[in-house]
Structures are given as C-alpha cells and as structure tokens.
Amino acid sequence: MAALTLATWNINSVRLRIDQVARFADMAKPDVICLQEIKCMEDQFPAKAFKDMGYPYFHVTGQKGMHGVATVSRSPIDVLEDCSVCPKGEARHHVVRIEGVEFQNYYIPAGGDEPDVEINPRFAHKLDFLDRFGAYLEKRGKAGGDVVLVGDLNIAPREHDVWSHKQLLKVISHTPVETEGLELARTRAGYLDVARELIAEPEKIYTWWSYRNRDWRKSNRGRRLDHIWVSPSLQAAATTHGREGFTIWDEARDWEKPSDHVPVTLKLG
Amino acid sequence: MAALTLATWNINSVRLRIDQVARFADMAKPDVICLQEIKCMEDQFPAKAFKDMGYPYFHVTGQKGMHGVATVSRSPIDVLEDCSVCPKGEARHHVVRIEGVEFQNYYIPAGGDEPDVEINPRFAHKLDFLDRFGAYLEKRGKAGGDVVLVGDLNIAPREHDVWSHKQLLKVISHTPVETEGLELARTRAGYLDVARELIAEPEKIYTWWSYRNRDWRKSNRGRRLDHIWVSPSLQAAATTHGREGFTIWDEARDWEKPSDHVPVTLKLG
DNA sequence: GTAATAGGTG
DNA sequence: CACCTATTAC
C-alpha cells in the first residue's frame, strides 16, 4: 500500500465553502478528501475547482439540498457501492477504492432532538441506519482487505468525546443506545477507532462545535462526531506516525463563515 | 443657507451594504445622505454605524423587507411629513428639514413588467403614485422655500437618460406616460432637474445598471432613474460649482456585491 | 442577478 | 446559527 494522507470533513455545503476546501487542501495536502453534507446534486458539484486544486478524480453521491457525500482524490477512483446502507434513497454513503485501499464515506442521520423513538421518527431512522450499518460492516469485515471508514457518524461514542458526558447522556449523539450501537458496529467489523488508538482517554477530542455557541473556543462545548476507522490490516500504517500523523484542524472553525465541523486528517503508512 | 453636499443612493438593503455606505461617505464626505430601498424596519436601521461615520441624526421610514427610505445627516433633522404621498401604507417617502433646507426623499414604485394598466396593477399603482406626487409637488411648490427633492424616481425622463430611447419606449421606466408624467410633476412645482441643468443632452447620463448584464460597463445599458431636483430658489446654489459639483459615483457599481444603483452627489452653495 | 420573505432541517 | 428550498419583487 502506497503511503497517503486522507481527510474527512463535513463541509456543510461544498458550493458555499469551496474556497475553504482549497485553503485546507493547500495546508494539509491530503491525497484523498472525503466530504459530507455537500448539499448538492452530482451535476452541481464544483468539479473544476477540485481539478484546479489537484484532485482530478472524484465520486459524488448527492441529492437536492440535503445530505450527500463526495470523495475526491489525486489518483483514480473505482466505485464499489453507492448508498447500499441508506434507506429511502438518501445520499449518505458510498464505498470506493483508491490505491488499493477501500474508502467508506458516511453521513449518518443526525436524529432530531428528542431521544425517543416513539415520538421522534428521526431518531428511529438513525437507530435503524445504525443497525444496517453494523450488519454491513460485519459482512464487509469478513471480506478482509485494507479498509478506511470515515465520515460524520453523528455520534460521540466515548465519555471524553463530549464536553460533558453527564449533561449529554440524554442528548442525541451521546445517548447510550447510540454510543453502544456505534461501538458494536465498529467491533463487529473489527475496525479500529484511530483517534482513540492514538489519543487515550481522558484526553478530550472534539471535531464539531455548534453554531449556537457564539464563542466556540471559550465555551468549548464540542463533540467528536467525525471519525476515522481502519481495518486491522492497516493498524500499523495508521499509527506509524503516532499522534503527529493525526490532525484535527480546529483553526478552520475560526475562518469566515465556517462549517460547524472541522477537517480531520490521517497520514497512512 | 449653509453650503452642503448631499447624496442620494438606492442602496438595495442598507443592512447588507452598510460597509459600502461607509466607504462612500469616506470618499464623498456628504453632509446629508438620502437612501432608498433600505429594506428594513426603523428598529433594524444600523443607526450606530451611521453615528460612527459621522451622521448622528437620521430619519427612517421603513417597512418589513421592502421599500423604505432614510435620510441621515451631520446636523439636526426636523421631520415635516411621512408617507403623505404613499397609498396603502407603503414606506416610500418622507420630507425633512436640515439647515433650513427642505429635503424630499422618494422611492417611486417600479411598476412591474407590462406597461398596461388593464393587466398590470403595479403599473396602475405607479401612475397613481405619479398623480399624487404631482399634486403634492404643486401644493408644496406654492409654499416656496428652499427645496431639494431626491430619490429613485424609477423613471428615466429624457431620450438620453437611457441607453436606447427607441428600444425602451415600451419598457417601464421610459414609456411616454411615465416620462411625461414625471416632467409634468416637476414643472408643476417649478423644480429644476439638476443633472440636466448641468449636463445637456445628447450627453448620456445613467445612475442604474441592471444586475442581469454581467459586464455592466462594457454593455453599458444604463438608465437615469435617480434624480436631484431643486426649487428655483436654489438654482444658483445648485449650479455654482458647475458640473464638477455634480458626481455620479459609478465606481461603486464595481464594488463587491454592489447595489444596482450608484450614489449621486451635489455640492450645494 | 440580487435580496427579501417563510418554512424545513441540522 | 446557518444551510437548503420556494416565492415575491425589482
């Protein structure tokens, strides 16, 4: 496997923030960028801008106005699957192969406000997605091969992945049914949570800060919603640079009109 | 009458373009600025920004989301009338006194697309407004005194106030019923059209270029929709600096996210 | 083309 | 708080 740097970023409209993607690419120089919430159709994707910044290859799974994921790359992309996990024709997932590595790019449903499936169908949909996701990972895990799974999984699984474990236990993204469901899905495939392989608890890790906190850095009410997982075959490649190889670009949260998520990168091999 | 510089500008949202107003004020240093299409309520008017740029006095006649006029000044303002010409409670007009001079600030209805009162109620509304406007001016003209009337009158009255007289004769803003109605209203009060006092035809004068022309300067399909009129008592004061005292700031049309109208200034006295 | 509104989503 | 979609208006 060739060495490469990969990035994942919930961009919250790729058309609106294409200049921020270019700025980030110039700094981090990733070989592969996985984006979520691109909020556009395939034909609206700013392909030329990506080509100009050195990413002539891309695969886009989009829908009108909401959700959508895209993977862009310096080297050619083979498409393996599109939305196999998504019900209702939503554009939340695809699987591609780049340089012999399988990349799974996800945008898991946010789940609404009320953590009760009886009264909140969005939460029910999230848990349903999580079940399908786990089943898909188990199947995929058995197939073996080098796999990188990234995306906005909309769940902060561990106690120190949120600013207050206690206050968020009943807040969607950190309820036990979600955090346990996510960990179960991951372990069913045997994948490794790279951030926590490199940065043990109780150190806090966040990748998202709500737009609703006006001074995000001061209040620092973050959550780790964006993840990079790897198959066991990539354990050495993913950790060989230690925590220096894993970067959360929180400076991007201070840019003009930022996304509420920041990019995360990993040097592989 | 103290010497002063006055400005008129259809700003197309004063909240969105308050920084452009500051930039303009810094260049042109007007003592009085009359704005149209402020598109906000009185309580949303960026009063502090105007105070910071040296205009602690202002009078705002606003409504939610559309229309609205504001007059800001370095010296105190007496309010004489609000919307006396406007039917249907629209915020399109006010009259104030500053330094002994009466300022009338108007935003005349655009009138829609089809120049036929039978099928286009907006055009009927515009012509109705024009009638009321003429009657009001005649009354006001008889009262005498120093009067400055400014605003986006949404009519280009003369042949050389549009890029093509022939092609615009059936386009609202330059139809004969409008151009004749506007000239009649003006002459009923005996007011002078300052631009044409200083710059005779056939020289073209434009203050507005549609957003729909992508290269506005190259295609130059402009219209003179923004006007400065004065009472006969101010004829000498309005023309004493010659055409150097009258400026159309067309450079503002090239600023980032510009208004489709540019500011116009006059040195008075 | 540009900006306002309102309603839906995160 | 900020994005999308419509709609209306100029």
Side-chain angles (χ1 to χ4, degrees):
Chain A
M1 193 220 85
L4 61 79
T5 298
L6 65 99
T8 182
W9 194 4
N10 177 320
I11 193 63
N12 189 14
S13 176
V14 70
R15 287 176 293 176
L16 211 60
R17 275 182 261 279
I18 185 64
D19 292 346
Q20 295 188 43
V21 176
R23 184 174 174 183
F24 162 70
D26 196 48
M27 295 186 328
K29 308 211 185 302
D31 301 292
V32 175
I33 309 176
C34 299
L35 299 169
Q36 302 86 37
E37 280 206 88
I38 59 170
K39 292 190 173 175
C40 67
M41 301 284 283
E42 285 83 347
D43 60 356
Q44 302 172 309
F45 188 74
K48 190 185 172 303
F50 279 102
K51 193 176 177 186
D52 290 347
M53 54 179 113
Y55 303 93
Y57 304 99
F58 55 89
H59 181 58
V60 180
T61 302
Q63 71 181 72
K64 192 164 102 178
M66 277 196 302
H67 317 322
V69 297
T71 301
V72 307
S73 168
R74 297 196 196 275
S75 3
I77 295 180
D78 290 326
V79 180
L80 304 182
E81 293 203 46
D82 246 306
C83 295
S84 48
V85 174
C86 319
K88 305 199 266 183
E90 291 180 317
R92 294 184 175 276
H93 165 230
H94 63 217
V95 182
V96 302
R97 191 182 305 120
I98 300 166
E99 301 270 347
V101 178
E102 176 180 316
F103 286 83
Q104 298 191 26
N105 185 356
Y106 288 91
Y107 174 58
I108 290 184
D113 282 329
E114 196 57 56
D116 180 343
V117 294
E118 299 301 320
I119 61 176
N120 177 7
R122 292 175 190 287
F123 193 52
H125 177 226
K126 183 177 194 173
L127 298 185
D128 176 57
F129 192 99
L130 208 49
D131 284 342
R132 293 158 158 274
F133 174 68
Y136 180 74
L137 259 60
E138 180 163 356
K139 188 185 77 180
R140 211 79 208 166
K142 284 182 181 140
D146 293 338
V147 177
V148 172
L149 185 156
V150 302
D152 176 5
L153 307 185
N154 262 319
I155 297 171
R158 309 196 58 122
E159 187 172 333
H160 298 93
D161 292 339
V162 293
W163 64 276
S164 168
H165 174 61
K166 207 169 160 186
Q167 290 183 71
L168 288 169
L169 274 169
K170 288 179 178 166
V171 172
I172 289 178
S173 74
H174 194 63
T175 63
V177 63
E178 294 170 88
T179 58
E180 288 160 17
L182 192 72
E183 288 294 75
L184 177 62
R186 183 172 63 76
T187 52
R188 278 169 85 173
Y191 294 164
L192 303 164
D193 175 355
V194 173
R196 285 303 177 194
E197 292 290 315
L198 294 166
I199 304 169
E201 296 195 280
E203 189 168 336
K204 297 281 196 183
I205 313 176
Y206 310 141
T207 64
W208 173 89
W209 292 263
S210 170
Y211 283 125
R212 298 179 203 193
N213 293 321
R214 37 166 210 93
D215 190 340
W216 71 277
R217 207 183 273 280
K218 189 177 175 189
S219 59
N220 200 24
R221 298 191 166 188
R223 303 182 201 170
R224 182 167 75 104
L225 303 181
D226 303 278
H227 299 268
I228 300 174
W229 295 352
V230 296
S231 57
S233 60
L234 289 177
Q235 177 163 28
T239 56
T240 183
H241 296 94
R243 56 189 290 172
E244 301 309 309
F246 175 81
T247 308
I248 294 170
W249 300 79
D250 62 353
E251 64 201 84
R253 191 64 179 75
D254 274 327
W255 294 349
E256 276 288 298
K257 293 211 141 240
S259 170
D260 45 353
H261 297 252
V262 298
V264 181
T265 58
L266 176 67
K267 286 180 76 169
L268 205 61
Chain B
M1 195 219 82
L4 60 80
T5 298
L6 65 99
T8 182
W9 194 6
N10 178 320
I11 192 63
N12 190 14
S13 176
V14 71
R15 287 176 294 176
L16 210 62
R17 275 182 262 277
I18 185 63
D19 291 347
Q20 295 188 45
V21 177
R23 183 173 175 183
F24 162 70
D26 195 48
M27 295 186 330
K29 306 210 185 306
D31 301 292
V32 175
I33 309 176
C34 298
L35 298 168
Q36 302 86 38
E37 280 206 88
I38 59 169
K39 293 189 173 177
C40 67
M41 302 284 282
E42 285 84 345
D43 60 356
Q44 301 172 309
F45 188 74
K48 190 185 173 302
F50 279 101
K51 194 176 176 187
D52 290 347
M53 56 179 111
Y55 303 92
Y57 304 99
F58 54 89
H59 181 59
V60 180
T61 302
Q63 71 182 72
K64 192 165 102 178
M66 279 197 301
H67 317 322
V69 297
T71 301
V72 306
S73 168
R74 297 196 196 277
S75 4
I77 295 179
D78 291 326
V79 179
L80 303 182
E81 291 204 49
D82 246 307
C83 295
S84 49
V85 173
C86 319
K88 305 198 268 180
E90 291 179 318
R92 294 185 175 277
H93 164 231
H94 64 217
V95 183
V96 301
R97 190 182 305 121
I98 300 166
E99 301 269 347
V101 177
E102 177 179 316
F103 286 82
Q104 298 192 26
N105 185 356
Y106 287 92
Y107 175 57
I108 290 185
D113 282 329
E114 197 57 56
D116 180 342
V117 295
E118 298 300 320
I119 60 174
N120 177 7
R122 291 175 192 286
F123 192 53
H125 177 226
K126 183 176 193 173
L127 297 185
D128 175 56
F129 192 99
L130 208 49
D131 284 342
R132 293 156 158 274
F133 174 68
Y136 180 74
L137 259 60
E138 181 164 357
K139 188 183 77 179
R140 211 79 208 166
K142 283 181 182 143
D146 294 337
V147 177
V148 172
L149 185 155
V150 302
D152 176 4
L153 307 186
N154 263 318
I155 297 170
R158 309 195 58 121
E159 187 171 333
H160 298 92
D161 293 339
V162 293
W163 64 277
S164 169
H165 174 61
K166 207 169 160 188
Q167 291 184 70
L168 288 169
L169 274 169
K170 288 179 179 168
V171 173
I172 289 178
S173 74
H174 195 63
T175 63
V177 62
E178 294 170 87
T179 59
E180 287 160 16
L182 191 72
E183 288 294 75
L184 176 64
R186 183 173 63 77
T187 51
R188 277 169 86 174
Y191 295 163
L192 304 165
D193 176 355
V194 173
R196 284 303 178 196
E197 292 290 315
L198 295 167
I199 305 170
E201 296 195 281
E203 188 167 336
K204 297 281 196 184
I205 314 177
Y206 310 142
T207 64
W208 172 89
W209 292 263
S210 169
Y211 283 125
R212 297 178 203 192
N213 293 322
R214 41 166 210 91
D215 192 338
W216 70 277
R217 206 183 275 279
K218 189 176 175 189
S219 60
N220 199 24
R221 298 190 166 188
R223 303 182 201 171
R224 182 168 72 107
L225 302 181
D226 303 278
H227 298 269
I228 300 174
W229 295 352
V230 296
S231 58
S233 61
L234 289 177
Q235 177 164 29
T239 56
T240 182
H241 297 93
R243 56 189 287 172
E244 302 307 309
F246 175 82
T247 308
I248 294 170
W249 300 80
D250 62 354
E251 64 200 84
R253 191 64 179 75
D254 275 326
W255 294 350
E256 277 288 299
K257 294 212 139 241
S259 171
D260 45 354
H261 297 252
V262 298
V264 182
T265 57
L266 176 67
K267 287 180 77 169
L268 205 61

